[in-house]
Amino acid sequence: MGIRVAVAGASGYAGGELLRLIAGHPEFDLVAATAHSQAGRPVAAVHPQLSGLNLMLTATEPAELADADLVFLALPHGQSGALAAQLPAGTKVVDLGADHRLADAAAWELYYNSAHAGTWTYGLPELPGQRERIAAADRVASTGCYAVATVLALAPLLRSGIAAADDVVVVAASGTSGAGKNAKTHLLGSEVMGDLSPYKVGAHQHVPEIKQATGALSLSFTPILAPMPRGILATVTARPLGGADPREVLQAAYADSPFVHVLPEDVWPHTAATAGSNSAHLQATFDVDSGRIIVVSAIDNLGKGAAGQAVQNANLMYGLPETTGLSVFGVAP
Amino acid sequence: MGIRVAVAGASGYAGGELLRLIAGHPEFDLVAATAHSQAGRPVAAVHPQLSGLNLMLTATEPAELADADLVFLALPHGQSGALAAQLPAGTKVVDLGADHRLADAAAWELYYNSAHAGTWTYGLPELPGQRERIAAADRVASTGCYAVATVLALAPLLRSGIAAADDVVVVAASGTSGAGKNAKTHLLGSEVMGDLSPYKVGAHQHVPEIKQATGALSLSFTPILAPMPRGILATVTARPLGGADPREVLQAAYADSPFVHVLPEDVWPHTAATAGSNSAHLQATFDVDSGRIIVVSAIDNLGKGAAGQAVQNANLMYGLPETTGLSVFGVAP
Amino acid sequence: MGIRVAVAGASGYAGGELLRLIAGHPEFDLVAATAHSQAGRPVAAVHPQLSGLNLMLTATEPAELADADLVFLALPHGQSGALAAQLPAGTKVVDLGADHRLADAAAWELYYNSAHAGTWTYGLPELPGQRERIAAADRVASTGCYAVATVLALAPLLRSGIAAADDVVVVAASGTSGAGKNAKTHLLGSEVMGDLSPYKVGAHQHVPEIKQATGALSLSFTPILAPMPRGILATVTARPLGGADPREVLQAAYADSPFVHVLPEDVWPHTAATAGSNSAHLQATFDVDSGRIIVVSAIDNLGKGAAGQAVQNANLMYGLPETTGLSVFGVAP
Amino acid sequence: MGIRVAVAGASGYAGGELLRLIAGHPEFDLVAATAHSQAGRPVAAVHPQLSGLNLMLTATEPAELADADLVFLALPHGQSGALAAQLPAGTKVVDLGADHRLADAAAWELYYNSAHAGTWTYGLPELPGQRERIAAADRVASTGCYAVATVLALAPLLRSGIAAADDVVVVAASGTSGAGKNAKTHLLGSEVMGDLSPYKVGAHQHVPEIKQATGALSLSFTPILAPMPRGILATVTARPLGGADPREVLQAAYADSPFVHVLPEDVWPHTAATAGSNSAHLQATFDVDSGRIIVVSAIDNLGKGAAGQAVQNANLMYGLPETTGLSVFGVAP
């Protein structure tokens, strides 16, 4: 008998990807998947890609999760705190939502407009010392999708001192699954196909998380909705301070990280190459005209940006190899 | 040490998918990947989704494949025959190409306009008795992508006698990866996005294969290029002869086939639900106005339609569970 | 002062396309655009592609339409009848909805499950004698989107007697705008991109309309949702009865129709080539194996399939050249 | 008889869009369309969306263009100079290529690696005083696609002094038609659908043009290929210097420009809303965290970014209203 695993919030896109990864994980046994309005329906009715997975969605209530050794929370922000508080103390929990990521309660309240639920160990294993902290934790707050793409690109630049922390500009585009599975007119296929459009310009809620995880002092962040189901491409530019080459800084930072690939020189990331995987692809250069450092990162927003990252954290929490049940290879084309 | 595996023709889309599947297969060790114009380049330079797979493409020559226990041929049609003839007799070979599928040399010559290379065991395990034949074979001709989608939908209808073999109409649409990776203007993204277009209307080369595998006597087959990278949706209609319900016939036919899912009543297949998997999704009904039987099937043309099917065949040839290293679950959205 | 034109139901996709066409029409003056939940908002807030068109959406009520000489009804089926009955007798009306298309009240009631509103002149000018009937009418029921694509392909075959009326099989795929602008989960971009899926299999409501307009006695019709915003590709196959070549029959039928293009031999239609236009592209051949006639047609479902067709009808009703304010050329790529 | 117009380089995407616009232009008569490898084929064989336009492509030679009053050059960069030099002195010429845009020959040679052909009047009518200069010119160098999107967003900020000219960061994503119609593997539909990828990072050839047209002193520019046929979305950020509100600055700058729409507050541009039109949509705000000005612009790269812009310039050269034959409304969805 393996580790008993439950997913709360299994009807959304991150929840569906979690179910797929857990079903293929050699140490995890899926014992419960919960939802709100979809409770009572078979998993495969909500996620047709999981046809053959015979499990019913139950209601998102503590009792449904009580048997699990490990619980993944894939809930709308603001809902994890209350549920997590009702789980047994010994249950390991990975929260894919934003509730427990920020150390600064004021920043939480500013961007999320609700009470702060507390701060858990930050679930980005590729940060220095973080694997050990995650391994020692029972509660881990997994990283936000835009934050993963941005932090992996930016943190080594600032940590190594080769870029200025007070002049960072990020433009990041995401596939539509990042906007969730709720039916909204502006997310209809007819609207998004053939379209690029920015949103939440000038005030995205991932900014404080990125600043906390990188030490950036000033961050201009513009998110864009892109006509594809999955993927985030983040273009991170920063004013250089001299010192080492940014690509070499990235290579050194991720030499021991199996999911982060600094691509060969002059090869730039493609989001499609990361689809279905837990990998991040990075490349860096200097802009000829302005001299700025440009780093581009690509991830699957549902993989390294959500469900894959969460499973990676859970692997570390159980002392398993961090790649267990995850793929470094994407499904392309 | 596992089974030593080589892929000939590894630079194309089916080849790339084979490499991905082999890399994740617990019993297969990838020892060689060959190509023509791409020989000498790293695999990841040709398939960026395989970043982290450290292997060079070598030339497609018998010497490069001689060390392998198992060789997958993913070559343009007409090229498998000559290469296969030069492989050691004991090497197990799965041909993803068309060369060895047809029993009727004249049909081959009519549609492919070249000499027939011979006939191998037909690699569609879901046909009656075929698992046993494949398990006993050293050389297997894997099924064509459109043929998989069509044969799975049609064969049980004709075998059971509930549909007429002389009045079958099929319209099947495929994602663009089915058209290959050669640079052609009509396959540019600018051309295919937002576009549906038929091609090879009235004379597609998969027709004799479908007739051979199903016993159809007359087949109208129209293929369509669809604006998506992967997936085939086949709409198969046939004149009913009475007898059992077509959906029940399909359920009975595939009760023991782990990759074929006859969906719950009134749920129709989505190609996206099969992406990245080796599954086929099927549904059937009667047309209210004409009375015709309508069966719709969905597969991933690179999965069950090519690389996944080939690995499934290889599993059977080695006495492994047919699901080894394959996923029944798709990567969606 | 030109012809005063109003659009009822201007917030949907067909409504938006009508507004675009009317705004560019040299004889039409747009005086009112009405909606339900969007009433009170500027047109450009609902249709950002119409930024620069300074008009407010008003409520869909007879008073708002009373000033118009010509009213287009782009309402959900079942709503045109009641509204049309309240318009002044002298107002010319083109109904884009289904309410007034069918002569057979029983067929209406079977497929639409509501009372039949009556029968208007059928608005497909390319049918024999229909231009004259439309020119003489004050009330015209414009053709359904799937019906346009199918009828243009099929009607000449049956009229000329070269195909059997009792053995017609149609598979037609549509872009997502055909499914409307209401927010539904299965129409989200995340769901439809990369996906083909059939729907309403075996019982689509356009079947009686197609039979009425073509004389088909039996029609198997399978609609498919395709991953593109616009376009319908219909594959129509029929059992041949001998006689003239189907391509020549189509050429003769449409020699005087400026919007219907029978393509050069061996050139097959692309939906993308019709986007934004009022054109239909057709091609025909015989299937080599079955001998069946295959005709493929492509239209823009919002153009010739809805708004363009409606404007063409209105042009005829006012004695204008039928191409006035319409484009025969598509916007591609 | 109207103005006799020819298009040199009519087989590419900008060329096809020019043909469409000229065919619908009330004052232009299309007399010749030339190409290289496609010479001798009917226009509709190369551009199926122009079925019904009966014209043969001829060879791109001065003799084929000698009869025209007005010639549009839509050639690969480096080819306009030689051809233009052979046209009669009285022929009006609009060059869509880069050859005659830059005043600085050294910048040309650095980015294009060839001899500079000379400098023509810069064809962006929305710059101050530029309408008059274009109206007085016989030779006009139309603006590059990325440059249009960036210059419209940036020029008013720098001209009004509210943003610093030495700290501008631009990330701009383009649909695939911007990469042309030549068959290249990385532009295949299978590659681009579902994918975002940057290219020419740190050294794009439009940088000197943008600096010349805006007065920017330092420009970090990152272009991205996006999975859609048409459209450019440019995100322009700059360090604020205080003074007027950026949105009001944009509104004042474009009050008399019929194709530039500063959207209502909090409404952000969508590329899809500009498809098929000659419009640009703009919006601006301050980034909450960094205080930077963010302006986002959307255009159709083949419309305002190429063919539409060129026709607008030609209208001005002939004293026609600049909107003649062009649409301010997009074709959406």
Side-chain angles (χ1 to χ4, degrees), chain C residues 169-218:
Chain C
V169 177
V170 180
V171 177
S174 173
T176 54
S177 61
K181 201 174 176 176
N182 287 330
K184 294 175 184 168
T185 300
H186 76 283
L187 296 176
L188 289 176
S190 299
E191 300 292 313
V192 300
M193 288 186 282
D195 191 39
L196 285 171
S197 182
Y199 62 102
K200 294 186 186 171
V201 182
H204 192 275
Q205 71 273 11
H206 284 182
V207 167
E209 180 183 348
I210 295 167
K211 292 174 74 176
Q212 169 182 301
T214 61
L217 299 174
S218 162

Side-chain angles (χ1 to χ4, degrees), chain A residues 13 46 48 175-178 180-185 187-194 226-229, chain C residues 13 46 48 175-178 180-185 187-194 226-229:
Chain A
Y13 289 134
V46 175
T176 54
S177 62
K181 201 174 176 175
N182 286 330
K184 295 176 183 168
T185 301
L187 297 176
L188 288 175
S190 299
E191 301 291 314
V192 301
M193 287 187 282
M228 55 193 200
Chain C
Y13 289 134
V46 175
T176 54
S177 61
K181 201 174 176 176
N182 287 330
K184 294 175 184 168
T185 300
L187 296 176
L188 289 176
S190 299
E191 300 292 313
V192 300
M193 288 186 282
M228 56 193 199

Side-chain angles (χ1 to χ4, degrees), chain B residues 258-321:
Chain B
F259 292 116
V260 183
H261 303 260
V262 180
L263 300 180
E265 261 185 280
D266 298 326
V267 178
W268 289 87
H270 289 258
T271 59
T274 67
S277 83
N278 196 47
S279 287
H281 290 190
L282 299 178
Q283 184 57 283
T285 194
F286 289 104
D287 182 74
V288 165
D289 190 78
S290 68
R292 287 179 80 89
I293 297 171
I294 303 178
V295 186
V296 177
S297 64
I299 61 166
D300 179 342
N301 60 300
L302 296 180
K304 185 66 180 168
Q309 171 91 330
V311 169
Q312 184 184 0
N313 283 323
N315 286 338
L316 291 167
M317 293 163 80
Y318 276 99
L320 300 168

Side-chain angles (χ1 to χ4, degrees), chain C residues 10 12-13 15-24 30 33 42-55 57, chain D residues 261 263 272-274 277 279 281 327-332:
Chain C
Y13 289 134
E17 187 75 349
L18 273 171
L19 297 182
R20 181 178 77 86
L21 294 174
I22 293 166
L30 183 63
V43 162
V46 175
H47 299 296
Q49 76 274 21
L50 301 180
S51 288
L53 183 66
N54 295 312
L55 189 72
L57 292 168
Chain D
H261 303 260
L263 299 181
T274 67
S277 83
S279 288
H281 290 189
S327 178
V328 296
F329 302 132
V331 178

Side-chain angles (χ1 to χ4, degrees), chain D residues 186-239:
Chain D
H186 75 282
L187 297 175
L188 288 175
S190 300
E191 300 292 314
V192 300
M193 288 186 283
D195 191 39
L196 284 171
S197 183
Y199 62 101
K200 294 188 188 171
V201 182
H204 193 276
Q205 70 275 10
H206 283 182
V207 167
E209 179 183 349
I210 296 168
K211 292 174 73 177
Q212 170 182 302
T214 61
L217 299 175
S218 162
L219 186 71
S220 169
F221 183 85
T222 306
I224 293 169
L225 191 69
M228 56 192 200
R230 292 189 178 213
I232 287 180
L233 189 86
T235 302
V236 177
T237 81
R239 186 161 43 85

Side-chain angles (χ1 to χ4, degrees), chain C residues 5 16 37 99 159 182 226 238-239 272 279 306 309:
Chain C
V5 180
S37 61
D99 293 32
R159 214 158 60 224
N182 287 330
R239 187 160 42 85
S279 287
Q309 171 92 331

Side-chain angles (χ1 to χ4, degrees), chain B:
Chain B
M1 187 65 190
I3 298 160
R4 298 169 59 85
V5 180
V7 175
S11 62
Y13 289 134
E17 187 75 349
L18 273 170
L19 297 181
R20 181 178 77 86
L21 294 174
I22 293 166
H25 194 289
E27 307 294 337
F28 289 172
D29 289 332
L30 182 64
V31 296
T34 77
H36 286 272
S37 62
Q38 305 289 338
R41 299 186 69 197
V43 162
V46 175
H47 298 297
Q49 77 274 20
L50 301 180
S51 288
L53 183 65
N54 295 312
L55 188 72
M56 299 296 287
L57 292 169
T58 53
T60 300
E61 291 171 9
E64 300 293 338
L65 308 167
D67 274 358
D69 304 313
L70 167 65
V71 174
F72 292 99
L73 304 178
L75 302 167
H77 70 72
Q79 300 189 5
S80 299
L83 185 62
Q86 300 176 68
L87 295 176
T91 306
K92 291 186 194 292
V93 184
V94 179
D95 187 359
L96 282 76
D99 293 32
H100 303 96
R101 288 177 197 149
L102 295 185
D104 178 350
W108 168 271
E109 283 155 21
L110 176 66
Y111 278 90
Y112 292 95
N113 200 26
S114 64
H116 188 222
T119 309
W120 291 0
T121 300
Y122 190 61
L124 189 60
E126 288 81 7
L127 292 179
Q130 206 62 18
R131 278 185 184 82
E132 293 70 22
R133 290 182 205 106
I134 294 166
D138 278 339
R139 308 268 154 136
V140 170
S142 219
T143 317
C145 55
Y146 279 122
V148 172
T150 306
V151 173
L152 289 176
L154 181 59
L157 307 186
L158 301 188
R159 213 158 60 223
S160 66
I162 67 168
D166 62 354
D167 181 8
V168 179
V169 177
V170 180
V171 177
S174 173
T176 54
S177 62
K181 202 175 175 175
N182 287 330
K184 294 176 184 168
T185 301
H186 75 282
L187 296 176
L188 288 175
S190 299
E191 300 293 313
V192 300
M193 287 186 281
D195 191 39
L196 285 171
S197 182
Y199 62 102
K200 295 187 187 171
V201 182
H204 193 276
Q205 71 275 11
H206 284 181
V207 167
E209 179 182 350
I210 296 167
K211 293 174 73 177
Q212 170 182 300
T214 61
L217 300 173
S218 162
L219 187 71
S220 169
F221 183 86
T222 306
I224 293 169
L225 191 68
M228 56 192 199
R230 293 190 178 213
I232 287 179
L233 190 86
T235 302
V236 177
T237 82
R239 187 160 43 86
L241 297 178
D245 178 77
R247 190 170 167 276
E248 289 171 9
V249 166
L250 294 172
Q251 284 184 308
Y254 300 119
D256 298 325
S257 290
F259 292 116
V260 183
H261 303 260
V262 180
L263 300 180
E265 261 185 280
D266 298 326
V267 178
W268 289 87
H270 289 258
T271 59
T274 67
S277 83
N278 196 47
S279 287
H281 290 190
L282 299 178
Q283 184 57 283
T285 194
F286 289 104
D287 182 74
V288 165
D289 190 78
S290 68
R292 287 179 80 89
I293 297 171
I294 303 178
V295 186
V296 177
S297 64
I299 61 166
D300 179 342
N301 60 300
L302 296 180
K304 185 66 180 168
Q309 171 91 330
V311 169
Q312 184 184 0
N313 283 323
N315 286 338
L316 291 167
M317 293 163 80
Y318 276 99
L320 300 168
E322 64 185 294
T323 55
T324 310
L326 296 169
S327 178
V328 295
F329 302 131
V331 178

